[in-house]
Amino acid sequence: NLRESSAHELQPHYEWVEEKLKIALLSRDAPTSSRKLQEGAQSLGWKSKESPRWIRDGERNSVARVLLEPARSLGLQVLTGTRVLCLIRDRAGWRAETSGEPLYAENVFVCAGALQTPKLLARSGIRLNIGRSLSLHPMLKLVAEFKEDVNSRDFGTPPQQINEFAPQMTLGCSV
């Protein structure tokens, strides 16, 4: 039961996920945008660090590629265009009432995002502490102009972060 598991008991699972996703620091030079953020932090005397990313063979990894594709070869079915209306627990496991035929499973992982997961659980009668810890992830956009090109279309989100104000706030960059 995950609800009764401690962080120590879950540690092997965290490590498994990090290994599968290849969460690591860059094995190549950081993109110019990351270097600019680091230089700016240093000039202000702020702490910054590289944040580990899901990198495999120099490319950003994804849960779909690492976990879903192998699971499909073992029989996993992914149903697109299907809306789960509610989950019902019975002796055999779970029944998902959907926009189509009901689905049955011994175990269910609800991964509907920060807004839709609590809504689905509430519609299913699971309300204890559901949705009460939702908090916003505010974002502020700033635009800077540099004398040289800093964009790198093939890199994704640059990994450098300013953590001078953590845990209340971190600053990152994207292009």
Side-chain angles (χ1 to χ4, degrees), residues 106-167:
E106 185 177 330
N107 297 297
V108 174
F109 290 88
V110 178
C111 306
L115 300 178
Q116 295 303 319
T117 295
K119 287 173 71 173
L120 172 59
L121 294 174
R123 285 195 310 266
S124 304
I126 303 169
R127 291 186 174 88
L128 183 63
N129 295 325
I130 301 301
R132 289 182 173 62
S133 61
L134 179 65
S135 61
L136 296 176
H137 182 155
M139 184 171 70
L140 173 67
K141 281 190 175 184
L142 300 173
V143 178
E145 188 172 346
F146 296 92
K147 292 177 184 173
E148 69 274 12
D149 285 340
V150 296
N151 292 344
S152 177
R153 294 187 185 277
D154 64 337
F155 197 81
T157 304
Q160 194 69 26
Q161 292 183 346
I162 296 173
N163 56 343
E164 177 71 22
F165 312 104

Side-chain angles (χ1 to χ4, degrees), residues 21-158:
L21 293 176
K22 303 292 186 213
I23 296 175
L25 298 175
L26 291 176
S27 59
R28 61 182 187 183
D29 288 339
T32 306
S33 54
S34 275
R35 290 195 308 274
K36 289 292 183 188
L37 188 65
Q38 183 178 22
E39 290 167 8
Q42 287 173 341
S43 73
L44 294 169
W46 294 351
K47 294 181 277 186
S48 72
K49 67 176 185 171
E50 179 185 336
S51 179
R53 296 284 194 232
W54 307 358
I55 306 288
R56 176 194 264 170
D57 302 325
E59 291 184 24
R60 187 174 187 274
N61 236 340
S62 72
V63 170
R65 182 174 32 176
V66 174
L67 299 177
L68 289 182
E69 287 176 12
R72 280 185 170 155
S73 70
L74 298 172
L76 171 73
Q77 288 183 309
V78 176
L79 303 175
T80 60
T82 302
R83 186 178 197 283
V84 176
L85 305 172
C86 70
L87 299 169
I88 301 165
R89 179 97 165 133
D90 61 27
R91 283 181 245 138
W94 292 91
R95 181 177 81 238
E97 293 295 331
T98 73
S99 55
E101 295 294 317
L103 302 172
Y104 300 90
E106 185 177 330
N107 297 297
V108 174
F109 290 88
V110 178
C111 306
L115 300 178
Q116 295 303 319
T117 295
K119 287 173 71 173
L120 172 59
L121 294 174
R123 285 195 310 266
S124 304
I126 303 169
R127 291 186 174 88
L128 183 63
N129 295 325
I130 301 301
R132 289 182 173 62
S133 61
L134 179 65
S135 61
L136 296 176
H137 182 155
M139 184 171 70
L140 173 67
K141 281 190 175 184
L142 300 173
V143 178
E145 188 172 346
F146 296 92
K147 292 177 184 173
E148 69 274 12
D149 285 340
V150 296
N151 292 344
S152 177
R153 294 187 185 277
D154 64 337
F155 197 81
T157 304

Side-chain angles (χ1 to χ4, degrees), residues 1-16:
N1 187 343
L2 287 177
R3 187 174 301 178
E4 298 165 4
S5 299
S6 69
H8 177 73
E9 292 168 321
L10 292 173
Q11 189 62 35
H13 303 287
Y14 300 147
E15 291 170 1
W16 181 85

